[in-house]
Amino acid sequence: MELRQLEHFVTVAEERHFTRAAELLRISQSGLSASIRSLEQELGTSLFIRSTRRVELTAAGQALLADSVRTLASAAAARDAVAAVRGLLRGRLTIGAEPCLGSVDLPAELAAFRTANPGVEVRLRYSGSEELVDDVAGGRADVALVVDTGHTPAGVHLRPLSTQQMLVLCHPDHPFAAEQSIPLDALRGEPLVGFQEGWGAQALSRRAFAASGFDYRAAMEVNDVHPLLDLVGYNLGVAVVPESFARKRPDALRAVRLQDAPVWTVAVAVAEQPSPAASAFLTQLDPVALTPTPATAAAGS
């Protein structure tokens, strides 16, 4: 099998669609199909279950996928290392990020990086922190901007960028709004608005609640900060969030300090041996590292 065939296979597996994969690879759909058929014939098994709308991996395809991703990452790293010796920076930089981390202006960082390194193709994907750390561990992302939830697989190193306290965000008419601070136990049985499984605030809250002897159960779950603020704004629940979230709607919502609150640490997750492009991006981020996030002046008022 050839690296080109593995790249075709991985792209189809990620897109679950031959047409979209062909567009990303910039080849004809017939050429992509022929490449996949050739790989299946060589391996003596089908890799995909095909339908009119999408494709799914067979058991054999699932077994091949992880090793294919690692093989392609190793080959790309080898090419990039040779280019780096020649004084060139090329290849692909895949970045993952959880939205609204509160300490890094990611679009500005990406613009600066692409201007300085035009030979590097930059890809970006947003998701929850725990999934993104797994992406770095599995070679699906080179670096990821995440919340440190304590989930650090083997082969991944977390470099802290900033820290801030978490607090409770509520509607001005909620009883919590009149308090300067509340204990974590006050949230026992309280309707919660939260993020989906694997996102930073959800993981930190779940761990803190468990340490206090009760379960974290959000009545409403979102995957973006703005719907969360909308739901709290309609008094549909309270949310445990980092201080930076409170600054988004200081006139509409109340931020109340939380005793024994979890610490929100933004970090960059990177493989123990980053690619030249990943190393260049980390060097660019270095001035940001260990910069404390300003506290919310209005918290508790």
Side-chain angles (χ1 to χ4, degrees):
M1 67 184 71
E2 301 175 1
L3 287 175
R4 174 182 55 82
Q5 290 176 304
L6 292 182
E7 182 181 10
H8 294 172
F9 163 70
V10 169
T11 305
V12 174
E14 290 176 343
E15 293 299 317
R16 297 288 197 271
H17 199 278
F18 272 84
T19 301
R20 288 197 299 268
E23 290 172 352
L24 285 173
L25 292 165
R26 297 180 181 177
I27 62 174
S28 67
Q29 186 171 338
S30 60
L32 176 60
S33 297
S35 176
I36 297 297
R37 282 197 302 271
S38 176
L39 181 59
E40 290 175 326
Q41 289 171 0
E42 181 178 348
L43 295 173
T45 186
S46 297
L47 299 173
F48 295 105
I49 302 170
R50 297 161 172 83
S51 70
T52 56
R53 292 187 175 181
R54 59 185 299 171
V55 295
E56 299 288 347
L57 287 166
T58 63
Q62 292 173 350
L64 180 63
L65 182 59
D67 284 335
S68 296
V69 170
R70 285 192 288 269
T71 298
L72 291 172
S74 296
R79 289 193 297 267
D80 295 346
V82 172
V85 170
R86 297 171 55 207
L88 304 173
L89 193 60
R90 49 160 288 180
R92 177 185 297 169
L93 177 66
T94 301
I95 299 174
E98 179 167 318
C100 300
L101 290 174
S103 62
V104 179
D105 185 348
L106 185 55
E109 295 291 346
L110 294 179
F113 181 84
R114 193 166 68 174
T115 298
N117 305 284
V120 178
E121 177 190 357
V122 178
R123 291 189 173 184
L124 173 65
R125 186 173 79 88
Y126 283 107
S127 188
S129 289
E130 294 189 342
E131 180 180 342
L132 292 172
V133 171
D134 288 337
D135 284 346
V136 174
R140 295 179 294 276
D142 298 299
V143 297
L145 294 166
V146 299
V147 180
D148 184 357
T149 66
H151 174 64
T152 311
V156 177
H157 180 62
L158 293 183
R159 302 186 184 187
L161 298 176
S162 67
T163 60
Q164 56 182 302
Q165 292 296 120
M166 297 185 73
L167 46 71
V168 172
L169 205 58
C170 66
H171 188 276
D173 293 338
H174 193 282
F176 288 165
E179 303 293 336
Q180 292 296 314
S181 67
I182 60 172
L184 191 65
D185 193 69
L187 298 174
R188 188 189 297 263
E190 188 72 26
L192 297 173
V193 178
F195 290 95
Q196 295 174 347
E197 182 81 19
W199 290 62
Q202 192 266 8
L204 293 175
S205 298
R206 185 181 66 241
R207 188 169 62 188
F209 282 30
S212 294
F214 62 103
D215 292 335
Y216 172 89
R217 293 181 180 176
M220 300 183 181
E221 291 186 339
V222 299
N223 61 1
D224 186 77
V225 62
H226 298 291
L228 179 140
L229 297 177
D230 290 339
L231 293 170
V232 174
Y234 279 100
N235 207 8
L236 293 170
V238 302
V240 181
V241 297
E243 289 180 283
S244 57
F245 283 23
R247 293 194 293 273
K248 294 181 180 295
R249 298 185 187 176
D251 297 329
L253 303 176
R254 295 292 181 268
V256 183
R257 293 201 180 279
L258 186 61
Q259 299 163 22
D260 300 319
V263 176
W264 174 278
T265 299
V266 176
V268 56
V270 63
E272 291 180 348
Q273 295 184 332
S275 68
S279 296
F281 185 70
L282 292 172
T283 298
Q284 178 180 301
L285 284 179
D286 196 53
V288 178
L290 301 177
T291 301
T293 301
T296 304
S301 61

